[in-house]
Amino acid sequence: MIGCLDKLTIEGRSAESPVRIPVLDRFYERGTMVMGKVESGRIAKGMKLTIMPTKQEVKVEQVYVNETTPVFSAKPGENVSFKVSGAAIEEICKGFVLCSAPVCRAVNKFTCQLALVELLEHRPIFTSGYTCMLHAHTCETEVTCSKLLSQVNAKVKPKPGAPPRPICFAKQGAVVIAQLSVPETICLEVFEDMNQLGRFTLRDEGKSIAIGKILKLPPEASPGSSGGAAGATTSCSRGRAARRRSRIVSAGGAPTAGRGARRKLTRPARRS
């Protein structure tokens, strides 16, 4: 009987995949203790994990099941508490994810498919700018609909190569493709890669208004990208423009007249 139970496998949860443990709670008991559920991979004593999105490395000192029973390792689907070293209790928060390489993504916007289940009576339309609460694994944060991309119609098959039809709003019962944004980075995965970290719920005023799955995450920024240089150039140009305006105001004259007068003074005299 015990051998038969050991051979059972849980579909969708692989012990050979990278470790993913969303943090449910943390407390101090002769060290930093973390509580969570092993969504993927296998956690064992002595492992080195990375806390996302802070990218801080910790070491697993001991693993417990049922809060008191020490074990050497834990498989996917088990609720565990484990002691870590290398991070204080203030450096770990609910919603963080402990990962092994390759680590999960930390993003502040994503593209998803939403099924609008039940909208509020006084807010019956879902459109760009709609703000509510997002619940993904153990993470809870405010979210805003940045853009509605298209609506999924189950009765009409889309033509191959045809661009999606843009929409301005959606009502209850619709299935839409939208882009959502959050104020701070959170740990998410594409639903096709890991459904435990790729699904979420939208709630508004204590009511679940939509369920969704993540279709696409923004591309990772390359180390040699020129985004910072472009930002610095823009700020420098703005600073030069501000200094130029301040000189003109302090001189008390019209800028066009001043430039014209200087050009007249520097223009060489014509030969007769």
Side-chain angles (χ1 to χ4, degrees):
M1 183 67 177
I2 295 178
C4 182
L5 293 175
D6 290 338
K7 293 180 181 179
L8 292 177
T9 58
I10 304 175
E11 295 183 0
R13 300 179 188 270
S14 174
E16 306 301 328
S17 301
V19 175
R20 298 289 187 269
I21 307 176
V23 176
L24 179 62
D25 196 5
R26 76 278 189 275
F27 57 93
Y28 185 86
E29 185 178 340
R30 296 182 181 180
T32 303
M33 298 290 296
V34 181
M35 295 177 61
K37 183 178 182 180
V38 184
E39 299 289 0
S40 174
R42 183 195 299 266
I43 181 175
K45 181 180 179 180
M47 286 186 63
K48 291 186 177 180
L49 302 176
T50 303
I51 303 174
M52 291 297 291
T54 59
K55 298 182 179 180
Q56 185 174 359
E57 293 187 356
V58 296
K59 182 180 179 181
V60 179
E61 300 293 344
Q62 184 63 59
V63 183
Y64 299 90
V65 178
N66 300 327
E67 299 183 1
T68 56
T69 307
V71 295
F72 179 75
S73 64
K75 297 180 180 180
E78 293 188 280
N79 294 315
V80 297
S81 58
F82 50 97
K83 182 183 292 185
V84 297
S85 60
I89 187 174
E90 298 84 5
E91 297 172 327
I92 304 176
C93 298
K94 179 181 179 182
F96 286 9
V97 179
L98 277 83
C99 315
S100 62
V103 297
C104 65
R105 296 284 307 280
V107 297
N108 58 3
K109 60 181 178 179
F110 53 91
T111 303
C112 62
Q113 179 176 323
L114 280 175
L116 304 177
V117 180
E118 186 178 2
L119 296 176
L120 301 178
E121 293 183 1
H122 58 281
R123 301 181 70 183
I125 292 178
F126 188 86
T127 183
S128 300
Y130 195 104
T131 302
C132 55
M133 293 298 296
L134 178 140
H135 296 256
H137 50 88
T138 60
C139 178
E140 301 175 10
T141 183
E142 187 176 307
V143 65
T144 302
C145 177
S146 302
K147 186 178 181 181
L148 285 177
L149 301 177
S150 61
Q151 182 169 348
V152 179
N153 192 345
K155 298 181 180 179
V156 180
K157 294 183 179 180
K159 297 181 180 179
R165 183 179 179 182
I167 59 174
C168 298
F169 64 90
K171 295 184 178 181
Q172 180 174 313
V175 179
V176 297
I177 307 296
Q179 185 177 21
L180 305 184
S181 60
V182 294
E184 297 179 353
T185 56
I186 59 176
C187 300
L188 297 173
E189 295 273 8
V190 177
F191 183 82
E192 296 295 335
D193 298 338
M194 184 173 296
N195 53 12
Q196 292 86 0
L197 272 66
R199 57 193 177 200
F200 61 91
T201 305
L202 298 184
R203 292 179 62 86
D204 194 2
E205 298 184 6
K207 179 185 292 187
S208 298
I209 62 171
I211 56 176
K213 63 179 182 179
I214 299 172
L215 302 178
K216 183 180 179 182
L217 298 177
E220 296 186 38
S222 59
S225 61
S226 59
T233 305
T234 304
S235 61
C236 291
S237 61
R238 290 177 180 175
R240 287 196 297 268
R243 289 193 295 271
R244 189 183 302 113
R245 287 193 298 267
S246 63
R247 287 198 299 266
I248 294 172
V249 172
S250 61
T256 306
R259 288 196 296 269
R262 285 196 294 271
R263 283 198 297 268
K264 288 182 180 180
L265 291 175
T266 58
R267 186 180 300 169
R270 295 181 180 178
R271 295 181 182 181
S272 58

